[in-house]
């Protein structure tokens, strides 16, 4: 899809807004302008002549088969989309420290980046990725099956796929991630429900029942256990597609294109090797009408213009345009495309009419070499604030084009220049614009409300399914092309030039006038003495004044109760300090800052940016909730060395309880340097991510032998960089306990780590988040002592979540417990247990 959406002036506003959100995600959600080549235009002409759609359905970002999605989008030219149940919020992050909601934003953007490469669209349900699930029953209980099923039905009715492809097998319960199986079950049930007018009837105010023609399961040898078993399997019900086709006009194969898209999943370390040659994909028929031709899953479905009443002449005209297309002079196709547009516009209302109107409009714009930009003077502004819009318009063809008016869609027209856009001459305009007082904050819509663990709460039901919040400001240009009036629209964005990265585009956000946040995510009060709590206030407007406070209840004393402030300039930040006196007894408080402005309005919004080179920067203004934990806790030792792995917040958490933490790089891991540390801790997946550690293992083992303590946190059992994790035999498995409330048995009640310096009881495992732990060892040397026993319902007890071994003078500890989640979440018992691990061997000194 191309950068600008072109609509005739007579198109109804309601229809326009509807398709802003659901048919042109890369027109209205992309921050980076798309600049179609002559080859792109030719491909779009082929797509204009194909009236078929396919929806791929799975559970998470990275589950999608980019090779198959790219094949349908680029070879078949079908309207193609990927529906992911979740945004990957419950996974790990290999490129930074963001987890949970912020990781979901990163993975959302990575999926959108992948779709920009393979040409498909991207959608989501409201399901929250709460972490690994062993069966679909658990998944549905946490997700709220009916709510997510309604989302899937909604997207079937909205996108109207002819073909639905499940990534996973609905009959695989207990054999794979519960989310995977759940996604297939939901898609299979929604196939019939989407066509049933009695199912989720409230949706029918906006959409019509839709009956997809057929549904498949994208199987492979993996689901059969081995290549050999798959080769011997009965393939009568399988349909084979060669997705390894070569695109001469692109200069690359479909597999190469798919690998580029797959590589966008950088937060999961999914960089992919580009492949060439034949690549067979298999689709197992599930339900609906079987294809007539096994080599064409669209066979038996009318994908020509004749599927629409009165559409046959349009197909003939588009075919003629494609045959006559001139790669060096695309503008020669404009007059015929205008004819196509007029013919489509006269058809009865339908999904395909609206879809193809948009595609035709984009083609007219692209063939004319038209380029527009509406650049805001800042990347965010508050309601009632003034910004400058820098507008650029250029016609890079010899086509007669007149720019009639410029404005903000649905709000106002700035000017009516009636400017003839001469060939290759840039026209620039500046407009001062005031953000409407009623404009909504354009934060990630699924994060605007506090949600349950498994289901995001969404205020605007029409947003359900969308990858992002629709842009608040859409610039509209009324143009006349060869005498034909069109309305061209594109989102207002922000642009800056980085000396290294060049032009960086990002969405323009409407934001609150003030942001505030407590500086530390978790504050531990180990005694009842007061602590100074730092709070930052950032101005979103000039001349900001108000009062700052914290939402503490009567158990905590806040001094002073509020602090007045005045900030002169937008983007200035001031730091304020409250004194907080904790209660006498153990207590956890969820805390956020609040600012009441001089106009009486109160704001709880935080300010956080996510900025990675492969993604457009993202501004998040959700309230930042931190924890105050009154936790009587004792510790031994002081100096901790931390070796980072995939990235986590454990070092910051340890500083909270009074440790001095040094994060070591490769050069600092030497025998002499390690002598000064009371313990060395390896971050999560360090042995999966850091190649150099295979050369440092002898040094680390010697450190233990000489009396040190090493704590190794979880690693996956694949892609290990070392041949020996521990000084004794230790083999990792995929065993885990996913239920965060699973009962924990203290197996060795007399062991030091359960008794000193803090007494550990079963109650210390209350309040854990997302999971108990993961990738527990399944084989370990007799030198290791087992400390804890735990299991998910209906499964045998696992005793290897925490293994402690005496190795000569020191201690080696391996744990798959999810401390990397629990400590940043302020879980008291996790702090006590982790401090005990660090303190081992030091309690009697």
């Amino acid at each position: 899809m191309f950068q600008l959406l072109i609509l005739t002036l007579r198109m109804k506003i309601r229809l326009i807004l509807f398709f802003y959100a659901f048919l042109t995600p890369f027109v209205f959600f992309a921050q980076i302008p798309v600049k179609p080549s002559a080859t792109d235009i030719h491909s779009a002409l082929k797509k204009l002549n194909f009236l078929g759609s396919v929806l791929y359905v799975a559970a998470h970002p990275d589950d999608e088969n980019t090779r198959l999605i790219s094949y349908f989008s680029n070879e078949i030219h079908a309207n193609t989309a990927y529906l992911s149940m979740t945004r990957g919020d419950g996974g790990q992050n290999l490129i930074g420290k963001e987890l949970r909601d912020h990781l979901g934003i990163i993975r959302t953007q990575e999926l959108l980046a992948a779709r920009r490469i393979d040409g498909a669209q991207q959608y989501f349900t409201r399901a929250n990725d709460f972490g690994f699930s062993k069966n679909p029953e658990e998944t549905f209980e946490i997700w709220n099956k009916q709510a997510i099923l309604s989302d899937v039905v909604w997207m079937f009715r909205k996108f109207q796929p002819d073909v639905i492809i499940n990534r996973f097998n609905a009959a695989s319960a207990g054999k794979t991630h519960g989310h995977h199986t759940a996604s297939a079950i939901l898609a299979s049930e929604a196939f019939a429900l989407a066509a049933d007018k009695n199912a989720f009837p409230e949706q029918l105010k906006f959409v019509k029942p839709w009956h997809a023609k057929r549904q498949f399961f994208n199987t492979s040898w993996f689901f059969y256990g081995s290549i050999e078993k798959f080769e011997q399997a009965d393939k009568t019900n399988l349909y084979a597609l060669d997705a390894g086709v070569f695109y001469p006009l692109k200069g690359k194969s479909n597999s190469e294109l798919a690998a580029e898209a797959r590589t966008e999943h950088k937060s999961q370390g999914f960089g992919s090797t580009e492949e060439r040659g034949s690549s067979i994909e298999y689709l197992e028929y599930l339900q609906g009408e079987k294809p007539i031709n096994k080599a064409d899953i669209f066979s038996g479905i009318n994908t020509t213009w004749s599927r629409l009443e009165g559409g046959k002449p349009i197909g003939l005209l588009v075919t003629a345009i494609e045959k006559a297309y001139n790669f060096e002079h695309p503008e020669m196709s404009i007059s015929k495309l205008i004819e196509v547009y007029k013919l489509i516009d006269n058809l009865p209302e339908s999904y395909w009419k609206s879809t193809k109107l948009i595609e035709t409009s984009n083609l007219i714009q692209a063939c004319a070499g038209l380029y527009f930009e509406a650049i805001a003077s800042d990347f965010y502004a508050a309601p009632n604030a003034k910004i400058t819009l820098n507008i650029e318009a250029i016609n890079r063809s010899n086509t007669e084009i007149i720019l009639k008016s410029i404005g903000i869609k649905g709000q106002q027209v700035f000017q009516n220049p009636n400017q003839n856009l001469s060939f290759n001459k840039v026209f620039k305009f500046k407009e001062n614009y005031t953000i409407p007082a009623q404009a909504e904050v354009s934060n990630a819509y699924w994060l605007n409300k506090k949600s349950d663990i498994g289901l995001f709460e969404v205020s605007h039901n029409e947003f359900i399914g969308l990858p992002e919040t629709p842009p608040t400001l859409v610039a509209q240009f009324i143009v006349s092309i060869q005498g034909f009036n069109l309305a061209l629209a594109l989102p207002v964005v922000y642009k800056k030039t980085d000396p290294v990265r060049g032009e960086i585009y990002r969405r323009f956000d409407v934001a609150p006038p003030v942001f505030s946040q407590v500086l530390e995510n978790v504050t531990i009060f180990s005694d009842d003495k007061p602590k100074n709590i730092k709070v930052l206030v950032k101005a979103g407007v000039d001349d900001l004044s108000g009062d700052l406070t914290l939402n503490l209840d009567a158990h905590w004393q806040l001094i002073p109760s509020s602090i007045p402030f005045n900030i002169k300039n937008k983007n200035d930040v001031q730091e304020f300090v409250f004194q907080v006196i904790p209660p006498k007894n153990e207590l956890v408080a969820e805390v956020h800052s609040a600012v009441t402005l001089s106009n009486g309005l109160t704001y709880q919004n935080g300010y956080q940016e996510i900025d990675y080179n492969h993604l457009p920067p993202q501004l998040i203004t959700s309230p930042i909730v931190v924890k105050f934990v009154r936790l009587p806790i004792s510790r031994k030792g002081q100096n901790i060395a931390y070796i980072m792995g995939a990235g986590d917040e454990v070092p910051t958490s340890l500083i909270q309880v009074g440790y001095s933490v040094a994060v070591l790089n490769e050069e600092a891991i030497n025998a002499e340097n390690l002598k000064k540390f009371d313990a060395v801790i390896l971050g999560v997946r360090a042995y999966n991510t850091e190649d150099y550690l295979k050369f440092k293992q002898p040094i680390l083992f010697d450190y233990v032998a000489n009396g040190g303590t090493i704590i190794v946190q979880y690693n996956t059992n694949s892609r290990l960089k070392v041949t020996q994790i521990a000084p004794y035999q230790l083999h990792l498995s995929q065993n885990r306990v996913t239920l965060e409330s699973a009962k924990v048995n203290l197996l060795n009640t007399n062991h030091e780590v359960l008794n000193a310096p803090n007494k550990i009881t079963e109650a210390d495992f209350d309040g854990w988040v997302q999971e108990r732990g993961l990738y527990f060892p399944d084989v370990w040397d007799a030198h290791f002592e087992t400390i804890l026993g735990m299991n998910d319902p209906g499964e045998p007890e696992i005793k290897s979540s925490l293994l402690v071994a005496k190795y000569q003078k020191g201690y080696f500890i391996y744990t798959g417990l999810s401390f990397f989640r629990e400590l940043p979440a302020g879980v008291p018992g996790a702090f006590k247990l982790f401090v005990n691990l660090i303190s081992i061997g030091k309690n009697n000194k």
Side-chain angles (χ1 to χ4, degrees), residues 36-310:
S37 66
T39 298
D40 295 328
I41 296 171
H42 183 259
S43 179
L45 280 169
K46 289 179 174 292
K47 184 174 183 178
L48 184 61
N49 225 7
F50 189 89
L51 279 68
S53 55
V54 57
L55 182 65
Y56 199 87
V57 182
H60 311 103
D62 84 6
D63 284 344
E64 88 276 31
N65 184 338
T66 52
R67 183 184 288 111
L68 201 56
I69 287 174
S70 179
Y71 172 82
F72 284 117
S73 177
N74 294 286
E75 174 66 11
I76 305 301
H77 303 290
N79 200 17
T80 308
Y82 173 42
L83 173 61
S84 177
M85 297 292 139
T86 76
R87 297 175 185 267
D89 326 74
Q92 282 80 55
N93 183 0
L94 293 184
I95 62 173
K97 297 180 180 179
E98 296 88 355
L99 292 174
R100 294 303 311 156
D101 293 344
H102 293 174
L103 179 58
I105 287 177
I106 290 173
R107 293 191 172 179
T108 294
Q109 290 300 317
E110 288 178 338
L111 275 175
L112 288 173
R115 300 294 81 81
R116 286 192 288 270
I117 292 170
D118 58 37
Q121 300 174 31
Q122 182 63 52
Y123 300 109
F124 297 92
T125 74
R126 289 171 292 166
N128 191 341
D129 180 3
F130 56 83
F132 192 87
S133 168
K134 292 182 178 178
N135 57 71
E137 289 76 24
E138 176 193 9
T139 300
F140 288 141
E141 182 177 343
I142 296 175
W143 273 358
N144 182 340
K145 181 182 178 182
Q146 280 301 107
I148 305 305
L149 181 60
S150 74
D151 290 358
V152 178
V153 169
W154 169 258
M155 285 313 308
F156 283 12
R157 290 169 170 173
K158 186 70 66 176
F159 187 70
Q160 295 191 11
D162 294 309
V163 176
I164 296 167
I165 301 175
N166 299 351
R167 181 67 182 102
F168 298 106
N169 186 353
S172 64
K175 299 178 182 178
T176 182
H177 197 321
H179 296 183
H180 293 170
T181 310
S183 71
I185 293 172
L186 290 167
S188 298
E189 292 183 8
F191 183 86
L193 291 174
D196 183 356
K197 65 181 181 180
N198 296 314
F200 307 107
E202 69 280 359
Q203 297 179 2
L204 301 183
K205 298 176 183 177
F206 310 98
V207 292
K208 295 180 180 179
W210 175 252
H211 199 308
K213 296 297 189 297
R214 54 193 62 137
Q215 188 171 38
F216 298 90
F217 158 43
N218 181 199
T219 191
S220 70
W221 67 264
F222 175 83
F223 295 96
Y224 287 76
S226 69
I227 295 175
E228 292 73 21
K229 289 181 180 179
F230 182 65
E231 289 176 346
Q232 298 169 6
D234 180 8
K235 298 183 178 61
T236 304
N237 206 34
L238 301 188
Y239 294 75
L241 304 173
D242 188 350
V245 294
F246 176 65
Y247 304 127
L249 292 180
K250 295 180 183 292
K252 60 185 69 175
S253 70
N254 186 69
S255 298
E256 290 172 300
L257 200 64
E260 290 179 20
R262 183 74 171 172
T263 297
E264 290 300 320
H265 294 298
K266 299 183 189 299
S267 66
Q268 300 178 79
F270 280 170
S272 300
T273 299
E274 296 184 2
E275 299 177 352
R276 288 149 289 279
S278 178
S279 179
I280 305 300
E281 293 286 344
Y282 292 93
L283 300 178
E284 179 181 330
Y285 167 79
L286 296 178
Q287 56 183 326
E289 303 171 5
K290 281 192 173 184
I292 298 172
N293 179 358
K294 290 204 73 172
D296 178 11
I297 68 164
F298 276 99
S299 60
I301 301 172
N302 186 355
T303 59
T304 71
W305 277 97
S306 64
R307 80 180 288 174
L308 303 183
E309 182 184 350

Side-chain angles (χ1 to χ4, degrees), residues 450-579:
K450 186 175 181 179
S451 301
D452 294 333
I453 186 174
L455 180 70
F456 289 116
E457 185 176 347
V458 176
S459 299
H460 298 287
N461 288 335
E462 66 273 20
F463 287 2
I464 292 174
L466 298 183
E468 297 183 277
T469 305
T472 303
L473 300 184
V474 176
Q476 179 170 272
F477 303 83
I478 307 300
V479 298
S480 173
I481 301 180
Q482 295 183 4
F484 185 66
N485 285 338
L486 303 165
L488 290 70
L490 76 161
V492 172
V493 295
Y494 172 77
K495 178 177 70 173
K496 72 174 184 179
T497 302
D498 182 90
V500 175
R501 297 165 61 185
E503 283 189 335
I504 299 176
Y505 285 84
R506 65 185 296 174
R507 63 179 289 145
F508 171 79
D509 288 305
V510 174
V514 64
F515 315 92
S516 64
Q517 59 196 73
V518 179
L519 200 55
E520 298 290 345
N521 290 332
V522 175
T523 300
I524 304 293
F525 293 80
S526 58
D527 52 38
D528 58 5
K529 294 179 181 179
K531 280 195 173 185
N532 289 334
I533 302 299
K534 295 179 180 179
V535 184
L536 300 181
V537 176
K538 180 184 178 79
V541 296
D542 293 335
D543 298 319
L544 182 75
S545 61
D547 290 284
L548 171 69
T549 190
L550 303 179
N551 69 319
L552 286 170
D553 61 27
H555 293 94
W556 305 76
Q557 188 175 352
L558 184 66
I559 303 174
S561 59
S562 65
I563 300 176
F565 66 87
N566 184 273
I567 303 177
K568 183 177 181 180
N569 299 314
K570 178 183 178 181
N571 292 320
D572 282 354
V573 177
Q574 289 187 9
E575 182 179 290
F576 302 93
V577 178
F578 289 95
Q579 188 179 73

Side-chain angles (χ1 to χ4, degrees), residues 340-388:
V340 168
Y341 191 98
K342 292 176 179 178
L343 289 173
I344 297 172
D345 199 33
N346 286 327
L347 295 176
E349 296 300 328
S350 71
Y351 168 86
W352 282 113
K353 172 186 175 177
S354 302
T355 301
K356 294 304 178 180
L357 273 177
I358 292 167
E359 290 181 17
T360 307
S361 302
N362 290 332
L363 276 164
I364 294 171
Q365 174 262 322
C367 288
L370 270 173
Y371 183 84
F372 290 86
E373 274 191 350
I375 307 296
S377 52
D378 199 351
F379 62 87
Y380 78 92
N384 285 322
K386 291 178 169 53
I387 59 172
T388 300

Side-chain angles (χ1 to χ4, degrees), residues 690-758:
E690 303 301 330
D691 285 293
Y692 72 82
L693 284 177
K694 59 189 170 187
F695 305 111
K696 299 294 183 177
Q697 285 294 76
I699 298 174
L700 294 174
F701 292 165
D702 285 346
Y703 165 76
V704 179
N706 291 323
T709 297
I710 282 185
I711 302 170
V712 177
Q713 297 179 83
Y714 102 93
N715 290 267
T716 66
N717 60 351
S718 63
R719 299 184 183 181
L720 284 168
K721 307 295 185 181
V722 297
T723 57
Q724 187 178 359
I725 291 176
Y728 301 118
Q729 182 188 19
L730 186 70
H731 181 267
L732 303 183
S733 73
Q734 295 188 15
N735 294 335
R736 62 175 78 204
V737 174
T738 62
L739 187 63
E740 59 267 30
S741 59
K743 187 178 187 305
V744 176
N745 296 317
L746 308 183
L747 301 177
N748 195 341
T749 56
N750 294 322
H751 198 282
E752 183 179 356
V753 298
L754 295 181
N755 291 280
N758 305 286

Side-chain angles (χ1 to χ4, degrees), residues 649-669:
E649 296 286 352
V650 171
T652 302
S653 299
L654 296 179
I655 292 171
Q656 273 291 326
V657 290
Y659 286 109
S660 300
V661 181
V663 177
L664 303 187
N665 58 21
E666 180 179 356
E667 291 72 24
I669 304 173

